[in-house]
Amino acid sequence: METKVILTEKEMPTSWYNIQADLPEPLPPLRHPATKEPTRLPPPLFPRALDEQEFSKERYIEIPEEIQEIYKLWRPTPLMRAYRLEKALNTPAKIYYKYEGVSPAGSHKLNTSVAQAYYAKKEGFKRLTTETGAGQWGSALAMGCRFFGLECKVYMVKVSYHQKPYRRIMMETWGAKVVPSPSEDTGIGRRILKEDPDCPGSLGIAISEAVEDAFSRDDTLYSLGSVLNHVLLHQTIVGQEAKKQLEKIGVYPDIIVGCIGGGSNFAGVFLPFVKDKIEGKKPGLRIICVEPQACPSVTRGLYAWDYGDVAGLAPIALMYTLGHTFVPPPVHAGGLRYHGMAPIICHLHRLGFVEARAEYQIPVFRAAVEFARTEGIIPAPEPAHAIKVVIDEAIRCRESGESKTILLALSGHGHFDLGAYDEYLSGRLEDYEYPEEKVKEALAHLPKV
Ligand SMILES: Cc1ncc(COP(=O)(O)O)c(C=O)c1O
């Protein structure tokens, strides 16, 4: 009846797992935003090493020692059995969660920010720019940059900048410069503010600003916190650890559940497991991605070529998209307000290896509060979407009498999201309907490839 499964530092994986070695069909290429031809990552935006990782077919890519040393500040992270939640739900299901909230920045995002800062430094750059939604990614990059002596500039989606002042202060504590996006610091920001001074911002806009900034300086690269293959790759340390932890207690999951914004935390957890499904060893394994009803790219979007950002500076990817000009309603899961989705997740969904669901934020917060009141941890609003589905599946087990094993990707804590909890607890939280008209309008602007 152990509650935690712990690995020692010596047992921490020393390579990232690259799904591209095992995909039954290769990924579609990225395309250049101007020429529309297949492209690598646009130089000089990303370190060369990350461009190599983006397209690599090597199954395992070694994690450099310097990165492993920093990972050891919080890794390996615990795998927990949610006995108290199971009991409260009166379910025969066995619920496990892999908890990334123990990292100094409070989420999985440090697994890639440390790696991205390391490669930028190694290739002689001095500064990184990025966007952030909820502030989790920005704070992770701020710490990564600090550890390698790089400057960091963060364009923070305006609605989150105002909802989450403590995330900004956290980034500033690690030495980053933070501005609300759209901002006056870039051409695209100034253009959007002129058209709509009250624009709440979106990840697509903030990405355009950060990319424009990086393009404008020789000493600066751009860093993306999700979506791209190399980001998902860095997160696979999470799933590899979870697999080892479950092996230690002789368990294999029936269902894996995680939230998807750009897809990185969940991919990090499920990719080492989906390998077994692709190889036919675990045909019954179910993998469920959960997104907000207010920004439902996989469940309601088109599978189409689209830009990664509003201004059309980022490469074009074949993915589920709501249109790169779509500005999602200001739900509290800021990290899930992205118009597109990681091509790896979309590809696996198309091939039938992954299912998707969309949830409204009020039932999501109800699930989060139930989790907090049983397991103690106050989850971030993003993984709370996954908790909602885990609880639904556990209740289904109660009804059917099946004792399924469910693995939850618990990507971070919600200590900086208490304003959202306050709204929920005082009955002020609103649900947003699927913004059909706005999506239709945004989908009219897809690039012609
Ligand atoms: C705690 C947490 N989970 C999940 C996400 C969603 O991003 P991704 O889908 O890349 O994991 C975010 C994004 O900010 C986040 O902060």
Side-chain angles (χ1 to χ4, degrees), residues 362 421-430:
I362 293 177
Y421 278 86
D422 189 35
E423 277 189 27
Y424 169 74
L425 293 169
S426 60
R428 285 178 286 123
L429 195 68
E430 282 176 54

PDB file of all heavy atoms in Angstrom, residues 362 421-430:
ATOM      1  N   ILE A 362     -16.026  25.100 -15.768  1.00  0.00           N
ATOM      2  CA  ILE A 362     -16.659  24.941 -14.443  1.00  0.00           C
ATOM      3  C   ILE A 362     -16.549  23.488 -13.951  1.00  0.00           C
ATOM      4  O   ILE A 362     -16.047  23.251 -12.844  1.00  0.00           O
ATOM      5  CB  ILE A 362     -18.115  25.476 -14.424  1.00  0.00           C
ATOM      6  CG1 ILE A 362     -18.079  27.010 -14.598  1.00  0.00           C
ATOM      7  CG2 ILE A 362     -18.824  25.098 -13.121  1.00  0.00           C
ATOM      8  CD1 ILE A 362     -19.438  27.680 -14.675  1.00  0.00           C
ATOM      9  N   TYR A 421      -9.385  29.936  -8.771  1.00  0.00           N
ATOM     10  CA  TYR A 421     -10.100  29.131  -7.758  1.00  0.00           C
ATOM     11  C   TYR A 421     -11.094  30.009  -6.994  1.00  0.00           C
ATOM     12  O   TYR A 421     -12.203  29.593  -6.688  1.00  0.00           O
ATOM     13  CB  TYR A 421      -9.103  28.476  -6.793  1.00  0.00           C
ATOM     14  CG  TYR A 421      -8.503  27.195  -7.352  1.00  0.00           C
ATOM     15  CD1 TYR A 421      -7.377  27.219  -8.166  1.00  0.00           C
ATOM     16  CD2 TYR A 421      -9.092  25.968  -7.093  1.00  0.00           C
ATOM     17  CE1 TYR A 421      -6.845  26.052  -8.697  1.00  0.00           C
ATOM     18  CE2 TYR A 421      -8.573  24.784  -7.612  1.00  0.00           C
ATOM     19  CZ  TYR A 421      -7.448  24.829  -8.407  1.00  0.00           C
ATOM     20  OH  TYR A 421      -6.941  23.675  -8.936  1.00  0.00           O
ATOM     21  N   ASP A 422     -10.669  31.249  -6.712  1.00  0.00           N
ATOM     22  CA  ASP A 422     -11.559  32.174  -5.997  1.00  0.00           C
ATOM     23  C   ASP A 422     -12.836  32.409  -6.813  1.00  0.00           C
ATOM     24  O   ASP A 422     -13.942  32.365  -6.272  1.00  0.00           O
ATOM     25  CB  ASP A 422     -10.800  33.495  -5.769  1.00  0.00           C
ATOM     26  CG  ASP A 422     -11.553  34.424  -4.850  1.00  0.00           C
ATOM     27  OD1 ASP A 422     -12.222  33.927  -3.920  1.00  0.00           O
ATOM     28  OD2 ASP A 422     -11.486  35.654  -5.058  1.00  0.00           O
ATOM     29  N   GLU A 423     -12.654  32.627  -8.121  1.00  0.00           N
ATOM     30  CA  GLU A 423     -13.844  32.826  -8.978  1.00  0.00           C
ATOM     31  C   GLU A 423     -14.749  31.607  -8.939  1.00  0.00           C
ATOM     32  O   GLU A 423     -15.971  31.715  -8.872  1.00  0.00           O
ATOM     33  CB  GLU A 423     -13.414  33.083 -10.430  1.00  0.00           C
ATOM     34  CG  GLU A 423     -13.038  34.522 -10.671  1.00  0.00           C
ATOM     35  CD  GLU A 423     -12.827  34.824 -12.144  1.00  0.00           C
ATOM     36  OE1 GLU A 423     -13.425  34.147 -13.009  1.00  0.00           O
ATOM     37  OE2 GLU A 423     -12.037  35.736 -12.430  1.00  0.00           O
ATOM     38  N   TYR A 424     -14.138  30.429  -9.014  1.00  0.00           N
ATOM     39  CA  TYR A 424     -14.946  29.206  -8.993  1.00  0.00           C
ATOM     40  C   TYR A 424     -15.674  29.073  -7.658  1.00  0.00           C
ATOM     41  O   TYR A 424     -16.885  28.858  -7.609  1.00  0.00           O
ATOM     42  CB  TYR A 424     -14.070  27.970  -9.244  1.00  0.00           C
ATOM     43  CG  TYR A 424     -14.831  26.695  -8.968  1.00  0.00           C
ATOM     44  CD1 TYR A 424     -15.818  26.255  -9.860  1.00  0.00           C
ATOM     45  CD2 TYR A 424     -14.634  25.977  -7.790  1.00  0.00           C
ATOM     46  CE1 TYR A 424     -16.569  25.116  -9.591  1.00  0.00           C
ATOM     47  CE2 TYR A 424     -15.382  24.840  -7.515  1.00  0.00           C
ATOM     48  CZ  TYR A 424     -16.339  24.419  -8.414  1.00  0.00           C
ATOM     49  OH  TYR A 424     -17.093  23.302  -8.142  1.00  0.00           O
ATOM     50  N   LEU A 425     -14.918  29.240  -6.561  1.00  0.00           N
ATOM     51  CA  LEU A 425     -15.503  28.994  -5.229  1.00  0.00           C
ATOM     52  C   LEU A 425     -16.597  30.006  -4.895  1.00  0.00           C
ATOM     53  O   LEU A 425     -17.521  29.708  -4.144  1.00  0.00           O
ATOM     54  CB  LEU A 425     -14.399  29.026  -4.157  1.00  0.00           C
ATOM     55  CG  LEU A 425     -13.377  27.880  -4.254  1.00  0.00           C
ATOM     56  CD1 LEU A 425     -12.187  28.146  -3.336  1.00  0.00           C
ATOM     57  CD2 LEU A 425     -14.008  26.531  -3.909  1.00  0.00           C
ATOM     58  N   SER A 426     -16.491  31.220  -5.468  1.00  0.00           N
ATOM     59  CA  SER A 426     -17.515  32.224  -5.157  1.00  0.00           C
ATOM     60  C   SER A 426     -18.607  32.262  -6.236  1.00  0.00           C
ATOM     61  O   SER A 426     -19.430  33.175  -6.247  1.00  0.00           O
ATOM     62  CB  SER A 426     -16.850  33.597  -5.025  1.00  0.00           C
ATOM     63  OG  SER A 426     -16.216  33.912  -6.243  1.00  0.00           O
ATOM     64  N   GLY A 427     -18.588  31.294  -7.148  1.00  0.00           N
ATOM     65  CA  GLY A 427     -19.664  31.177  -8.141  1.00  0.00           C
ATOM     66  C   GLY A 427     -19.586  32.196  -9.259  1.00  0.00           C
ATOM     67  O   GLY A 427     -20.556  32.419  -9.981  1.00  0.00           O
ATOM     68  N   ARG A 428     -18.406  32.842  -9.418  1.00  0.00           N
ATOM     69  CA  ARG A 428     -18.298  33.863 -10.469  1.00  0.00           C
ATOM     70  C   ARG A 428     -17.690  33.322 -11.757  1.00  0.00           C
ATOM     71  O   ARG A 428     -17.597  34.030 -12.757  1.00  0.00           O
ATOM     72  CB  ARG A 428     -17.447  35.043  -9.981  1.00  0.00           C
ATOM     73  CG  ARG A 428     -18.176  35.943  -8.995  1.00  0.00           C
ATOM     74  CD  ARG A 428     -17.274  37.075  -8.506  1.00  0.00           C
ATOM     75  NE  ARG A 428     -16.275  36.613  -7.569  1.00  0.00           N
ATOM     76  CZ  ARG A 428     -14.958  36.759  -7.720  1.00  0.00           C
ATOM     77  NH1 ARG A 428     -14.468  37.365  -8.782  1.00  0.00           N
ATOM     78  NH2 ARG A 428     -14.124  36.308  -6.802  1.00  0.00           N
ATOM     79  N   LEU A 429     -17.262  32.071 -11.762  1.00  0.00           N
ATOM     80  CA  LEU A 429     -16.609  31.522 -12.956  1.00  0.00           C
ATOM     81  C   LEU A 429     -17.655  31.263 -14.035  1.00  0.00           C
ATOM     82  O   LEU A 429     -18.760  30.805 -13.755  1.00  0.00           O
ATOM     83  CB  LEU A 429     -15.915  30.203 -12.583  1.00  0.00           C
ATOM     84  CG  LEU A 429     -14.900  29.686 -13.588  1.00  0.00           C
ATOM     85  CD1 LEU A 429     -13.691  30.600 -13.633  1.00  0.00           C
ATOM     86  CD2 LEU A 429     -14.443  28.266 -13.189  1.00  0.00           C
ATOM     87  N   GLU A 430     -17.284  31.581 -15.289  1.00  0.00           N
ATOM     88  CA  GLU A 430     -18.224  31.392 -16.405  1.00  0.00           C
ATOM     89  C   GLU A 430     -17.723  30.302 -17.331  1.00  0.00           C
ATOM     90  O   GLU A 430     -16.520  30.137 -17.494  1.00  0.00           O
ATOM     91  CB  GLU A 430     -18.227  32.640 -17.295  1.00  0.00           C
ATOM     92  CG  GLU A 430     -18.993  33.810 -16.816  1.00  0.00           C
ATOM     93  CD  GLU A 430     -18.780  34.974 -17.801  1.00  0.00           C
ATOM     94  OE1 GLU A 430     -19.008  34.793 -19.010  1.00  0.00           O
ATOM     95  OE2 GLU A 430     -18.345  36.034 -17.329  1.00  0.00           O
TER      96      GLU A 430
END
